[in-house]
Amino acid sequence: MAALLTFLSEPGRKQLPSPSGGVTGTTLANARVVLADEVREGWLTIEDGRITHVGRGAAPRDGVDLGGRYVLPGFVDIHHHGGAGGSYPAADAEQALTAARFHLGHGTTTCVASLVTASPRELSAAVATLAELCDDGVFAGIHLEGPYISAARCGAHDPALLRDPDAAELAALIETGRGHVRMLTIAPELPGALDVIRFATGQGVIAALGHSDADYERTRAGVEAGGTVATHLFNALPPLHHRSPGPIAALLEDERVTVELINDGVHVHPAMLRLAHAAAGPGRVALITDAMAAAGLGDGAYRLGPMHVEVSGGVARLTEGGAIAGSTLTMDVAFRRTVRQVGLSLPEAARAAALTPARVLGVADRVGSIAAGKDADLVVLSDDLRVEAVMRKGAWAVPPQ
Ligand SMILES: [Zn+2]
């Protein structure tokens, strides 16, 4: 647990003192609680790291007065590569903790650490490092983005390191990850891809289809083989075309598939987010950040795995070629944009930022919404939807002021 303790007790972050007078736990009063289908003026109580009650109106006992602020489920980011200078592909535990803490400060209480295409040795080292942090509860899993992706749609991945799907290599990574490798992004048109999708899902690894140049039919075959996630829909895929619908239509129309969307105002136009949300329906859209090390820092030169990246005006691009190279997004900004620019309601946006990705990961029984019995993973937002406090497992990571 050492890493988690470090994670939650960063210098300068105070734990909230427990209430005195024989009362255990915490009450959050005078809140606007964002539930699955309503925003309720009310309160909630927390004991032993879990939500025990969600009530309406005035709280039955004194608590932390949130002054009418919004309380949302902690965000769940199933696809991001780092932040605040820390990079998961670097295979460095300190860097990984720095990034996880940074995103926690922006409301992400559950996250999956994503790698990028790298050599077998580098991937193995990064998986080993991140698996230990998964043991400590810092990450909910590891996502292998590549190396089995299309050279034609590889975006910021190093084309020299792409490989054909290889079940033996994947099996070795899964073994190194000791159950923590949870997702694989794969292009279904590559030789052997459908078998590797079947192998991955059989091992409990979520198959995400993406960085793909497949047509409509081949993408459907990928879904039939077990693909259940679309890696950053629209990005690194052939565009929608009315006579050649391609992977986007195949992924949007299949109810088994959850589509990831990067809502940073750069990767996808708000109109396409509305279109995707309308086509997929509620419950099949997962907001992700795809953030890389530069998130939270200024413009400048960075790395994404082996690739050199230049960040300018907050937009990360490969130094060579200029492909978009991840984002500098955080989940609070993605959430706010989804309400303001896309036009989803607070409960709909919270679903896309928390419950749906939690369901993808298979942890929706514990996190992703505000309900009695779930972990007390909460984000407190101001009227203008800015983070004012963050709680993880009942402890304040960012205490209310
Ligand atoms: Zn990514």
Side-chain angles (χ1 to χ4, degrees):
M1 290 300 286
L4 178 60
L5 293 174
T6 316
F7 180 64
L8 290 173
S9 59
E10 189 186 4
R13 295 230 161 114
K14 304 181 287 283
Q15 302 286 315
L16 199 77
S18 30
S20 53
V23 180
T24 58
T26 307
T27 299
L28 303 182
N30 193 15
R32 279 182 286 175
V33 185
V34 178
L35 301 172
D37 46 11
E38 63 165 328
V39 180
R40 179 184 295 179
E41 293 189 12
W43 50 274
L44 42 110
T45 52
I46 291 145
E47 313 233 5
D48 296 330
R50 293 190 178 214
I51 300 163
T52 48
H53 285 284
V54 185
R56 203 180 287 279
R61 66 187 197 210
D62 284 348
V64 179
D65 186 338
L66 291 181
R69 293 182 180 88
Y70 293 110
V71 180
L72 286 83
F75 302 131
V76 179
D77 188 358
I78 57 173
H79 183 163
H80 79 309
H81 303 273
S87 181
Y88 305 138
D92 179 303
E94 274 309 310
Q95 285 198 36
L97 278 165
T98 297
R101 272 192 210 112
F102 166 75
H103 287 287
L104 177 62
H106 288 269
T108 300
T109 49
T110 299
C111 64
V112 171
S114 300
L115 299 176
V116 292
T117 296
S119 70
R121 195 177 46 80
E122 285 170 317
L123 276 182
S124 179
V127 166
T129 301
L130 293 168
E132 285 194 27
L133 295 172
C134 292
D135 285 340
D136 290 341
V138 175
F139 298 110
I142 302 164
H143 165 212
L144 303 172
E145 188 175 19
Y148 316 134
I149 60 175
S150 161
R153 301 282 173 185
C154 66
H157 293 250
D158 185 349
L161 294 172
L162 302 178
R163 338 197 235 292
D164 284 342
D166 179 344
E169 181 190 16
L170 181 61
L173 288 169
I174 290 170
E175 175 142 357
T176 302
R178 296 178 283 106
H180 296 303
V181 173
R182 298 287 294 117
M183 184 152 49
L184 168 75
T185 294
I186 181 167
E189 71 275 24
L190 296 180
L194 302 183
D195 284 338
V196 167
I197 290 170
R198 285 185 206 101
F199 171 73
T201 54
Q203 299 288 311
V205 177
I206 300 154
L209 307 182
H211 282 282
S212 161
D213 206 34
D215 61 10
Y216 175 80
E217 286 75 17
R218 186 68 180 191
T219 306
R220 283 184 58 87
V223 175
E224 287 304 327
T228 52
V229 170
T231 293
H232 43 56
L233 191 77
F234 299 118
N235 300 112
L237 293 173
L240 270 178
H241 187 281
H242 53 290
R243 279 188 293 277
S244 174
I248 294 172
L251 295 162
L252 270 179
E253 75 177 359
D254 198 305
E255 295 207 337
R256 292 169 287 186
V257 177
T258 300
V259 300
E260 297 179 349
L261 290 166
I262 309 171
N263 187 9
D264 62 349
V266 174
H267 282 76
V268 187
H269 192 283
M272 295 305 265
L273 277 124
R274 276 191 288 279
L275 183 72
H277 191 259
R284 286 183 47 220
V285 169
L287 297 177
I288 59 163
T289 63
D290 200 15
M292 44 79 77
L297 301 180
D299 290 353
Y302 296 91
R303 294 280 295 271
L304 180 58
M307 307 300 272
H308 293 273
V309 174
E310 188 71 32
V311 176
S312 170
V315 180
R317 292 183 180 279
L318 285 189
T319 307
E320 254 174 71
I324 304 181
S327 84
T328 58
L329 186 61
T330 49
M331 283 298 281
D332 55 332
V333 175
F335 176 83
R336 190 163 63 241
R337 288 187 54 85
T338 300
V339 175
R340 293 279 171 77
Q341 271 79 31
V342 181
L344 267 56
S345 69
L346 289 166
E348 284 173 331
R351 187 169 180 172
L355 186 60
T356 298
R359 223 175 246 147
V360 167
L361 277 183
V363 296
D365 57 328
R366 292 190 286 109
V367 303
S369 62
I370 296 180
K374 286 206 175 183
D375 289 358
D377 287 359
L378 304 168
V379 189
V380 178
L381 298 183
S382 63
D383 269 347
D384 60 355
L385 305 182
R386 287 173 198 278
V387 172
E388 300 230 322
V390 181
M391 176 180 277
R392 189 172 191 264
K393 313 270 180 267
W396 290 112
V398 179
Q401 298 300 309

